DNA sequence: TGGTTAGTTAACCAATCGGTGAAATGAGTC
DNA sequence: GACTCATTTCACCGATTGGTTAACTAACCA
């Protein structure tokens, strides 16, 4: 079942190693061994992570002699960000409306109870 | 290996069923059977998805007689969004600086070559 | 040509994931 | 108490994931 793009993006981002790789790449292109350096795991493991990132279109890879430089691709990041923002804002809007309702209700309540003094 | 919060969030978001559930919840609270209605899968499957969302703190659940109403929690969404935005912006900045460099370089080039006419 | 450096592929393993059906729990209703 | 509705737990399944070691490919260097 070839997953949809958004699922590919989020599941690629779900691994801390892959997020660290992307964080590194935000600072500029890097080779596979450069990317692998900070980690204790073996090179094939990193190679697999890079394949996941590539399949998610979060990186693209060039060829420079025996090196395969990786670079970040921001487009899927933007799509993921927009998905999150959309539903987060929808939800926060609800609270704003609720706040409005509550302050109104409180105003009404205060008015109707202003002789109770309890 | 209790995964970090960001990994929990992204892997919860990596499933289209769970994203649809969150999308539904952005419109307001709902019970488990209400959430399950649009899907062909069985109720235990939905129950598992909800547990994943709950563990990721993307939803919280109340109790109303035999119903367990779910509501969206926006905080982890915000954290995830901020992570993405941060690295996306870092990367896009790089292109802006590259653009600056290229236009400067072109300006210099045009100046030094202004007698070539090719 | 042979050696070194960079990276990938293949085969394997344990753990997790996303689903199932069947049984158990929990809370109102007759 | 018995019946029903909402939801969870259990035991299982096949597929995927994240890692390993060992072997392979590809490009440069002497």
């Amino acid at each position: 079942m070839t997953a949809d793009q958004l699922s590919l993006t989020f599941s690629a981002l779900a691994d801390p190693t892959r997020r660290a790789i992307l964080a590194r790449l935000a600072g500029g292109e890097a080779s596979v061994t450069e990317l692998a350096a900070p980690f204790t795991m073996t090179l094939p493991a990193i190679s697999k992570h890079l394949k996941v990132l590539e399949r998610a279109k979060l990186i693209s890879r060039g060829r420079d002699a025996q090196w395969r430089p990786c670079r970040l691709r921001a487009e899927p990041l933007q799509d993921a960000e927009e998905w999150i923002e959309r539903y987060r804002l929808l939800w926060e809007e609800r609270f704003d409306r609720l706040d409005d309702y509550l302050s109104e209700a409180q105003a009404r309540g205060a008015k109707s109870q202003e002789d109770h003094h309890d």
Side-chain angles (χ1 to χ4, degrees), chain A residues 22 25 28-30 58-62 68-73:
Chain A
L22 293 178
L25 287 176
E29 237 180 60
L58 282 164
I59 64 170
S60 64
R61 334 184 55 175
R68 305 291 316 274
C70 300
R71 56 155 27 102
L72 192 55
R73 299 246 68 97

Side-chain angles (χ1 to χ4, degrees), chain A residues 17-68:
Chain A
T17 303
R18 286 193 293 264
R19 285 200 306 278
I21 289 176
L22 293 178
R24 165 68 185 76
L25 287 176
E29 237 180 60
S31 74
V32 177
T33 24
E34 279 167 352
L35 290 174
F39 303 101
T40 58
M41 70 187 78
T42 60
L43 221 62
I46 299 292
S47 197
K48 280 191 181 186
H49 282 305
L50 293 177
K51 195 141 62 173
V52 172
L53 289 171
E54 195 176 16
R55 211 167 92 81
K57 296 187 171 55
L58 282 164
I59 64 170
S60 64
R61 334 184 55 175
R63 169 69 83 184
D64 174 11
Q66 64 265 61
W67 294 275
R68 305 291 316 274

Side-chain angles (χ1 to χ4, degrees), chain A residues 52-113:
Chain A
V52 172
L53 289 171
E54 195 176 16
R55 211 167 92 81
K57 296 187 171 55
L58 282 164
I59 64 170
S60 64
R61 334 184 55 175
R63 169 69 83 184
D64 174 11
Q66 64 265 61
W67 294 275
R68 305 291 316 274
C70 300
R71 56 155 27 102
L72 192 55
R73 299 246 68 97
E75 302 85 352
L77 282 184
Q78 182 135 22
D79 295 340
E81 193 179 341
E82 280 166 9
W83 188 94
I84 294 179
E85 194 181 27
R86 173 173 173 176
Y87 293 105
R88 187 175 61 76
L89 290 183
L90 273 174
W91 185 242
E92 282 165 3
E93 249 173 50
R94 287 188 63 81
F95 282 115
D96 293 346
R97 285 199 303 275
L98 184 61
D99 283 348
D100 290 352
Y101 169 76
L102 289 179
S103 3
E104 261 183 63
Q106 186 166 33
R108 280 195 306 275
K111 205 167 174 52
S112 78
Q113 296 197 355

